[in-house]
Amino acid sequence: MVTTHNLGFPRIGAQRELKFALESYWKGESSSQSLKDLGAQLRQRHWAHQQGIDLVPVGDFSFYDQVLDMSFTLGNLPERVSGFHGDALDNYFRVARGRSAKSAEAHSACCGGVAAGEMTKWFDTNYHYIVPEFNAATAFKLDTTRLLAHLTEAKAQGVKAKPVIVGPVTYLSIGKAKDNSDRLALLPRLLVIYTELLNTLAAQGVEWVQIDEPILVTELDADWQHAFNTAYHQLKSCKVKLLLATYFGQLQENAYITANLPVAGIHIDAINDREGVLPLINLLPAHKVLSLGVINGRNIWKTDLTAVLDWIEPLAERLGDRLWIAPSCSLLHVPVDLASEEKLDAEVRSWLSFALQKLEELQVLGTALREGRHAVNAALTANQAALAARRASPRVHNPVVRAAVAHIAPHLGLRKSPYTQRAARQSALLNLPVYPTTTIGSFPQTADIRHARSEFKAGHLDASGYKAAMHAEIARSVREQEALGLDVLVHGEAERNDMVEYFGEQLEGYVFSQFGWVQSYGSRCVKPPILLGDIHRPRPMTVEWTTYAQSLTGKPMKGMLTGPVTLLNWSFVRDDQPRSVSCKQLALAIRDEVLDLEKAGVRVIQIDEAALREGLPLRKSQWQEYLDWAVESFRITANGVRDETQIHTHMCYSEFNDIIASIADMDADVITIETSRSDMELLDAFDDFNYPNEMGPGVYDIHSPNIPTQEHMIQLMQQAATRIPPERLWVNPDCGLKTRQWPEVIAALTNMVAAAKTLRASLVA
Ligand code: GLN
Ligand code: ZN
């Protein structure tokens, strides 16, 4: 008989209770005991929600990050947090965010802040984990306090617990050796601790342990492949059964190794690796459990239950008890409960499924496999009806949009002339100095702006009052920029709360949830918009604000848009068409906006692609295919303009070395990127690659309240000038200024403009 289980549950709480409790504790407004109590309450509630499934994850709850929890379990804490006052939780937050709660920092003389652990993206998700730190001397020491406490709570609640841990090979591979030593050299030491850990769990009566090894879906070299064999042959003697979990991608060449590891079961992501399932079954020794992740743990759509049953019933027949079913990965990556979405209309709601609904779907599948489909007839019928309605809905399908995408002609992505000719026309028209100065788009989002927006949304401020308030903000930005002496101005983005939401709300084909929060890191959550139908732009979205701003100044005003790839990568995407098709639809919609801006007399247009890099597939072998359609989408958006119109793009990072050719292929006239924190080190990419167009390497780190000096910015630009000829360099901050305060911004930009003037003078001299 089939077993149902779950790999992990969102810990933040349906109303983001954990977020608010954490932030209140950090501010010193509540005690650590009340935070701990809330944690226990959430665990209890979440386990109760999972009652109907056979094996429930324990240890997935975390006050910050499950990888950081693993580091604590393994006793792998950075040296810099030893010797502080306070308890383990205080130290935990020190590693997570550089400081603990206010109350614990009373000892500021002896326990001042420390450097927070580095954070990076968990595979291809938008969740960020704290990177484990290693060096050649790293010693591990088991600490099961947290895990055993959760296990005891679960047992008391009658939960059929399956502890969840990060596997040793993934743990090493996602960490960083601070001294550049070989992380794999630590494996023998680490395995001693894992053995102890698993035996401790066995002594608690645990039967199954889920051990996560998602790096098996990435390309591994021989040493790392070998590490899997070493690790699991050593752990084989432990008295628990291991379910080795992989997710987010395809096993491909790692399938053979995975199938033959001496573990009791394997979990595979059958959403992303459906083609890999049969080959894996054929490789799998006959006593092993195969867990299929058949419900998408990364997206919010209802599962087609009948289609899944059609597919897995024969597998259930073949595998018998050895078949388990689950979501594809931890449900950490989806919101908690659809029931809270009161504002979403009933039709759209009937197409969606958040974490709790996904667990219901899992139970329906389990019952159907055990007792036959008739036992869940009503659920299957309702599911079929919802899916059929979605498939047929005019909200999803717009024949005009589909035809437009089908007929995208190659010339849509081509500028009329090559860069050098365009550059000459643009400079004649714009009349800019060398080292022109600009900013990335937003100016400080003041309390006044937020107040006006919330009053407008609540209906206390009418449209004309709101417009007047925004016009006043735009006028202020323009005044400040003119006083600073910047060359290309921006309107300041006062009217935008978020660079995706602003456009999503005006495009047909998007919907927004009220509580669809997903943890991004620590207490930070994001609420990705839902791309549900063919994308159509009913009317211009930014032209009015931009032309108003232009009317206030004789300097060029930059129109400001979010690009198609970023809109796509920061949304929940459709599961009924390839991402590339959704991206082209977005491209056509934003292209219309670009052309409308041009028609309205805007001569410089910036199309932000902050998230282009985030969409790269986990396997390098699949990068090119993604880059091809991503770059094409950008080109369709940008390249319909006349030679005289200058196209800018902006990216929030500059790890370009591996994708530089594609970035150049976007053919933007100017690209602005983040570089100041790395001291231009990231411009190394341009040693071997001759970037053909103009570039603005950021010289002002907008993430910090520090005011950069003129000298520092000059020095950064001089470094940049060793790679890019000065005639093609711009001077600008790293990113938008919305999170900063006006006084800092004015001080920093004053220095920036002065730096540009000094650089110009040195060219003339
Ligand atoms: N134009 C946007 C801004 O300035 C860009 C933000 C971003 O790149 N994340 O806010
Ligand atoms: Zn940015």
Side-chain angles (χ1 to χ4, degrees), residues 217 246-256 258-259 266-285 288-295 307-319 322-328:
V217 306
T246 68
Y247 38 79
F248 301 147
Q250 303 114 34
L251 289 174
Q252 293 189 6
E253 74 285 358
N254 297 327
Y256 181 82
T258 309
I266 307 283
H267 171 84
I268 166 175
D269 179 335
I271 302 290
N272 278 300
D273 196 9
R274 178 149 173 177
E275 287 72 44
V277 170
L278 266 187
L280 186 67
I281 292 177
N282 292 332
L283 286 169
L284 208 64
K288 283 190 194 169
V289 160
L290 177 65
S291 163
L292 294 182
V294 291
I295 290 172
V308 172
L309 286 173
D310 288 345
W311 175 48
I312 61 173
E313 273 166 352
L315 302 180
E317 192 107 326
R318 178 165 166 193
L319 294 167
R322 293 167 54 214
L323 179 68
W324 291 18
I325 54 171
S328 59

Side-chain angles (χ1 to χ4, degrees), residues 440 610 650-653 734-736:
I440 305 305
H650 164 71
M651 292 175 189
C652 294
Y653 48 83
D734 268 343
C735 193

Side-chain angles (χ1 to χ4, degrees), residues 24 61 93 128 149 179 237 239 278 325 334 369 374 487 541 557 577 622 633 646 696 698 705:
S24 135
F61 180 86
F93 289 134
H128 300 70
D179 57 355
S237 59
K239 300 274 171 290
L278 266 187
I325 54 171
V334 291
L369 290 176
H374 59 86
D487 299 307
M541 305 181 282
M557 176 61 56
Q577 71 184 19
Q622 296 165 0
S633 300
Q646 189 172 64

Side-chain angles (χ1 to χ4, degrees), residues 3-159:
T3 296
T4 55
H5 73 115
N6 185 23
L7 277 72
F9 193 85
R11 70 233 359 176
I12 204 76
Q15 306 296 325
R16 288 182 294 161
E17 295 90 326
L18 182 58
K19 170 193 175 70
F20 300 119
L22 282 168
E23 289 172 1
S24 135
Y25 173 63
W26 293 334
K27 276 192 235 150
E29 290 168 3
S30 55
S31 66
S32 69
Q33 194 52 49
S34 61
L35 177 63
K36 287 172 190 167
D37 290 347
L38 177 91
Q41 245 176 51
L42 285 172
R43 287 191 291 276
Q44 191 179 21
R45 190 195 305 163
H46 297 163
W47 287 327
H49 284 318
Q50 299 176 79
Q51 224 162 31
I53 59 172
D54 298 325
L55 284 171
V56 174
V58 168
D60 55 335
F61 180 86
S62 174
F63 276 132
Y64 205 95
D65 163 45
Q66 74 271 8
V67 177
L68 183 59
D69 285 323
M70 199 66 212
S71 291
F72 272 70
T73 301
L74 298 169
N76 180 28
L77 314 194
E79 192 74 42
R80 62 181 182 278
V81 298
S82 64
F84 283 103
H85 285 89
D87 65 4
L89 189 64
D90 292 319
N91 246 358
Y92 179 79
F93 289 134
R94 275 188 196 103
V95 184
R97 53 194 286 276
R99 68 208 119 97
S100 183
K102 246 193 176 147
S103 52
E105 300 300 324
H107 304 264
S108 56
C110 51
C111 312
V114 292
E118 188 182 326
M119 212 165 50
T120 197
K121 272 175 182 285
W122 178 240
F123 294 82
D124 60 351
T125 71
N126 195 21
Y127 176 82
H128 300 70
Y129 69 94
I130 304 288
V131 178
E133 295 174 31
F134 306 113
N135 58 54
T138 297
F140 302 99
K141 187 170 176 297
L142 185 64
D143 179 354
T144 53
T145 324
R146 186 191 74 97
L147 197 53
L148 292 190
H150 293 190
L151 200 55
T152 307
E153 286 171 23
K155 277 192 205 155
Q157 204 179 321
V159 171

Side-chain angles (χ1 to χ4, degrees), residues 171 191 210 217 222 228 459 461 623 667 680 682:
Y171 181 75
L191 291 175
Q210 174 187 322
V217 306
F228 271 102
L461 184 67
W623 279 21
D667 201 21
M680 301 280 151
L682 293 157

Side-chain angles (χ1 to χ4, degrees), residues 496-509:
R496 299 182 197 176
N497 176 37
D498 175 280
M499 64 191 283
V500 174
E501 193 174 73
Y502 178 77
F503 291 94
E505 280 180 342
Q506 299 185 73
L507 291 168
E508 272 168 21

